[in-house]
Amino acid sequence: GKHRIVIPCLGHFKEEYEKLSKLYMNNKIRTTRYTLLNFLPRNLFEQFHRVANLYFLFLVVLNWIPLVEAFQKEITMLPLVGVLTIIAVKDGLEDYSRYKMDKQMNNLITKVYSR
């Protein structure tokens, strides 16, 4: 197996450190759920696991059938779109604050114990 080499003093070992550090995974903390590319699909996927959102989606789909139409189609969509938008904004803000905390933790200066 591979052994990890720790070089606490970078002085004249800087080139060796840079060469060896590419072989290992970094130890950055990442607690965010979303990225910019997967925010919308993943958030909608998570929101439609809630029974209430599925119920409102069922009402919207049912209202598009002309035989069953009780309200205007747009009015039926308003509660669902409103709830989905509010929850998506809340989730996005929470995830952004987690991103900022991760960035702050990953940039902390650490001390290395050496005998």
Side-chain angles (χ1 to χ4, degrees):
K2 291 183 180 180
H3 296 285
R4 185 168 182 164
I5 300 171
V6 178
I7 305 170
C9 178
L10 291 180
H12 54 279
F13 294 108
K14 189 169 184 172
E15 295 89 24
E16 184 179 355
Y17 169 75
E18 289 173 355
K19 189 182 347 172
L20 289 172
S21 66
K22 293 177 185 175
L23 300 174
Y24 301 103
M25 294 290 295
N26 62 19
N27 60 348
K28 288 186 177 183
I29 296 171
R30 182 174 178 259
T31 59
T32 57
R33 272 192 225 169
Y34 309 108
T35 63
L36 288 176
L37 295 177
N38 74 359
F39 176 74
L40 190 61
R42 190 167 183 184
N43 188 268
L44 288 174
F45 178 76
E46 289 176 4
Q47 286 192 45
F48 281 116
H49 273 84
R50 297 184 180 120
V51 177
N53 291 342
L54 285 175
Y55 172 73
F56 282 114
L57 180 66
F58 174 72
L59 288 179
V60 168
V61 170
L62 197 62
N63 205 34
W64 281 88
I65 301 172
L67 223 65
V68 187
E69 183 178 350
F71 304 107
Q72 291 180 351
K73 296 172 182 132
E74 297 79 18
I75 291 176
T76 309
M77 291 173 49
L78 283 178
L80 180 65
V81 170
V83 168
L84 293 179
T85 303
I86 290 170
I87 293 174
V89 168
K90 177 191 70 84
D91 288 345
L93 290 174
E94 286 176 356
D95 205 55
Y96 181 68
S97 67
R98 280 194 294 268
Y99 167 76
K100 288 193 319 188
M101 290 296 293
D102 292 346
K103 191 173 179 181
Q104 182 181 4
M105 286 295 267
N106 289 329
N107 290 326
L108 286 176
I109 296 174
T110 59
K111 294 182 180 181
V112 176
Y113 175 73
S114 177
R115 291 184 189 189

